[in-house]
Amino acid sequence: MNKLASYFRKMSIILFVSLLIYSVVFVLLISLINNTNWQYLFYRFNDTQLEKNGYLMMDDMRNHNIVRGPLSEEERHWIQRRAALYGILLRYESRDRKEIWFDTFSRSGVQASSKAVEIAYSAGGETYGYLKMEYILSNTELEPAYAEFMKSIQFRSKIILIGVVAASVLFSFVIARGLSKHLNEVYRIATQIGKGKRDVMLPLKGPEEVRRLASTLNEMTKELKKQEDWRHNLMEDLTHELRTPLTTLLTQIEAIIDGVYEADPQRLQDIYDELIRLSRLVNDLERLSEAESARFSLLVRRTNMVELARAVYSNFLPLARSKSIRLTFEPAYVPCYAEVDRDKIVQVLSNIVSNAIKYTPEGGKVHIRVSYNVEWTVIRCEDNGIGVSESDLPYIFNRLYRADKSRSRFSGGVGLGLSIAKALVEAHNGTVTAESELGVGSTFTITLPILFDYSEDEPFRPRMPDVSSE
């Protein structure tokens, strides 16, 4: 039963049945309208011909000097022969309808129907009676020749209908198969992509919607390949970041145990530095995991964002001066308040400003600017440092991703700062973006809502009393 249901859910079957039903209904509707129209035209033609025969009959009666009754037996036989010649049943009655001078309806045992035609019999400008006529055989049939012609038309219509329905079946099958063929190809290749094959490309064929779907899947495949390459590099980087200090520690401790080195203060300091480096890496990974899974509480309070940014600027002035970098600050010239966790946003700004100073050569510039509108606070950090290439820019917020792979872990860090910054900003329902050009510089933009959104699906985040500045 499930296989049968699955079969009828196929796109080709659905398209075939839909097109077939539409075609058959359309053809039947046209056929019904056509037959109804033909019947109407034939019956109208039949009535016209019957009325014409009536006038011919009346003209023959006048020429035979039959005007009014009672009729002689010879006149009755003559009228009967003429009526039979025209193929009609005839009733001739007086003007006051009290006398019936001739009636073949009663002789044939047929009641006059609503289709019977009645004309006034007049001669010399005087009406003498009425002639009521209907074709012989049946009061529901056409005149024999016309009835035969109509049967022929109906038979041919049925043949044409059968032919059109058969053509509709074939047409629906071809169209359904043609449309579903491209979808089946998309499904087949998408299945290969789902199994891990990333070197396949979908052909851009078929209807526009299928082409757009294929193009989207191709882009998705490229992105999946990039993500897999990045995850591979992530494991390599993480392994390297952990293995190098561990190897150094093991080597030095083994040398001390074997008596190769003495456990002097300098050796112990080197071991301690490596342990600190390992601890910092683990702590950064833990903070990033907490930030991305929202397993922390935000101490949200109303904060003057201009003063907060100015505090970060002041903290990094000595570092910038030591590298001969000009660090400047452009505030909004009115207090700008937003509901944020001060410590978390300071951490975000510190990561971004620290990176800007780190990757800007001596004599360069780093500029911090604060602006706002009725809904958002915007903080920008611009530098004219080494910049980031276009190929690396989409991935700089990924874990352990370092655009400058030539740098050692001692100068380039482990690539977690921007990942943590992004997670913390998004926890505030904000965004952080980067624009950069290799060799020209970078601009990081942090956008934070003025009012924090306390939705039910957010973790517990206590709101602190309002303060004007910190």
Side-chain angles (χ1 to χ4, degrees):
M1 182 62 69
N2 290 335
K3 290 184 177 179
L4 184 62
S6 175
Y7 176 78
F8 282 103
R9 285 198 300 267
K10 287 184 176 180
M11 179 61 72
S12 58
I13 300 300
I14 294 174
L15 286 173
F16 172 72
V17 173
S18 300
L19 289 171
L20 181 59
I21 291 175
Y22 171 78
S23 300
V24 170
V25 170
F26 182 76
V27 169
L28 289 177
L29 182 61
I30 294 298
S31 177
L32 178 62
I33 294 173
N34 183 62
N35 287 338
T36 302
N37 182 58
W38 271 108
Q39 287 182 358
Y40 170 76
L41 292 176
F42 266 106
Y43 281 117
R44 186 174 178 182
F45 176 74
N46 183 68
D47 291 343
T48 303
Q49 288 298 109
L50 185 60
E51 187 176 356
K52 177 183 176 181
N53 288 338
Y55 283 112
L56 291 174
M57 184 71 189
M58 183 173 62
D59 189 58
D60 289 344
M61 290 171 64
R62 282 199 295 259
N63 290 334
H64 204 69
N65 202 25
I66 299 174
V67 178
R68 55 177 300 171
L71 303 177
S72 65
E73 191 67 24
E74 181 183 354
E75 290 175 334
R76 289 176 180 274
H77 285 300
W78 184 87
I79 293 177
Q80 186 173 353
R81 288 196 304 270
R82 299 301 293 180
L85 179 63
Y86 290 118
I88 59 174
L89 296 173
L90 179 65
R91 177 183 297 164
Y92 181 29
E93 56 188 9
S94 63
R95 185 173 60 180
D96 57 8
R97 300 185 186 276
K98 292 181 179 181
E99 296 181 69
I100 297 177
W101 295 322
F102 182 84
D103 187 8
T104 55
F105 282 95
S106 58
R107 292 180 184 180
S108 303
V110 176
Q111 295 291 330
S113 69
S114 59
K115 296 180 180 179
V117 174
E118 184 179 80
I119 61 174
Y121 182 79
S122 59
E126 183 180 353
T127 299
Y128 293 97
Y130 296 95
L131 297 178
K132 179 171 287 187
M133 296 161 290
E134 194 168 349
Y135 280 116
I136 302 175
L137 297 179
S138 171
N139 61 345
T140 60
E141 291 287 339
L142 295 172
E143 193 274 332
Y146 301 148
E148 187 66 26
F149 180 68
M150 188 170 186
K151 287 180 181 179
S152 176
I153 291 294
Q154 290 176 343
F155 176 75
R156 293 185 181 184
S157 297
K158 290 178 182 178
I159 295 297
I160 293 174
L161 177 61
I162 293 172
V164 171
V165 170
S168 298
V169 173
L170 181 62
F171 174 78
S172 301
F173 175 76
V174 172
I175 294 298
R177 185 174 182 180
L179 291 175
S180 61
K181 178 179 69 175
H182 303 292
L183 287 175
N184 289 334
E185 182 68 10
V186 170
Y187 170 75
R188 185 182 67 81
I189 297 181
T191 302
Q192 295 180 8
I193 295 172
K195 292 179 180 178
K197 196 172 182 180
R198 300 289 183 259
D199 58 347
V200 294
M201 294 292 290
L202 287 162
L204 301 180
K205 297 180 179 179
E208 183 61 27
E209 291 76 7
V210 177
R211 290 171 181 263
R212 288 203 297 264
L213 175 61
S215 178
T216 301
L217 285 175
N218 287 336
E219 293 298 323
M220 184 188 72
T221 304
K222 293 178 183 178
E223 186 61 28
L224 285 174
K225 189 174 187 311
K226 289 180 182 178
Q227 292 295 329
E228 286 184 354
D229 293 343
W230 172 76
R231 282 195 294 270
H232 179 72
N233 295 332
L234 167 65
M235 295 306 299
E236 288 184 348
D237 290 345
L238 184 57
T239 302
H240 173 74
E241 296 296 338
L242 292 173
R243 183 177 58 238
T244 303
L246 283 175
T247 301
T248 303
L249 287 172
L250 288 173
T251 300
Q252 294 191 32
I253 292 174
E254 286 177 358
I256 292 174
I257 292 174
D258 294 340
V260 177
Y261 295 145
E262 293 184 5
D264 55 35
Q266 183 60 43
R267 296 290 179 190
L268 293 177
Q269 183 64 42
D270 291 341
I271 293 173
Y272 179 76
D273 290 341
E274 291 298 330
L275 288 173
I276 289 297
R277 202 181 319 281
L278 274 175
S279 177
R280 185 165 59 247
L281 172 60
V282 173
N283 288 336
D284 285 346
L285 287 171
E286 184 179 11
R287 284 200 303 272
L288 177 60
S289 178
E290 289 179 351
E292 290 185 338
S293 60
R295 289 187 288 108
F296 58 89
S297 294
L298 292 179
L299 302 179
V300 177
R301 52 187 171 182
R302 189 167 179 264
T303 304
N304 189 333
M305 300 302 292
V306 174
E307 294 301 322
L308 184 146
R310 191 189 302 276
V312 174
Y313 158 76
S314 300
N315 291 338
F316 280 94
L317 267 178
L319 178 61
R321 288 170 179 168
S322 68
K323 290 189 63 177
S324 301
I325 293 174
R326 183 184 177 190
L327 178 63
T328 58
F329 178 66
E330 179 185 341
Y333 293 99
V334 294
C336 176
Y337 293 94
E339 295 180 348
V340 299
D341 183 315
R342 174 187 171 85
D343 293 336
K344 298 296 188 296
I345 299 304
V346 166
Q347 183 179 353
V348 171
L349 289 175
S350 297
N351 277 328
I352 291 176
V353 175
S354 174
N355 279 345
I357 294 174
K358 184 184 299 183
Y359 294 114
T360 299
E362 290 186 4
K365 299 178 182 178
V366 176
H367 182 66
I368 304 172
R369 181 171 58 186
V370 180
S371 60
Y372 73 100
N373 57 37
V374 294
E375 294 182 355
W376 305 94
T377 296
V378 180
I379 304 174
R380 287 185 176 85
C381 180
E382 305 171 7
D383 65 70
N384 60 351
I386 62 174
V388 181
S389 68
E390 185 178 354
S391 60
D392 288 323
L393 189 59
Y395 308 104
I396 61 174
F397 292 102
N398 291 346
R399 297 181 182 183
L400 295 174
Y401 188 88
R402 285 179 296 181
D404 186 6
K405 298 178 180 60
S406 64
R407 290 178 178 265
S408 70
R409 68 181 187 280
F410 303 104
S411 61
V414 294
L416 290 175
L418 290 179
S419 300
I420 295 173
K422 181 175 184 290
L424 291 177
V425 170
E426 289 179 349
H428 285 78
N429 305 310
T431 60
V432 55
T433 58
E435 299 175 7
S436 186
E437 185 176 349
L438 193 63
V440 177
S442 305
T443 300
F444 285 81
T445 304
I446 303 168
T447 305
L448 295 167
I450 298 295
L451 299 176
F452 187 80
D453 182 14
Y454 295 89
S455 56
E456 294 183 359
D457 56 346
E458 294 290 334
F460 174 69
R461 292 167 179 170
R463 185 171 184 171
M464 302 298 290
D466 293 349
V467 295
S468 59
S469 65
E470 293 286 338

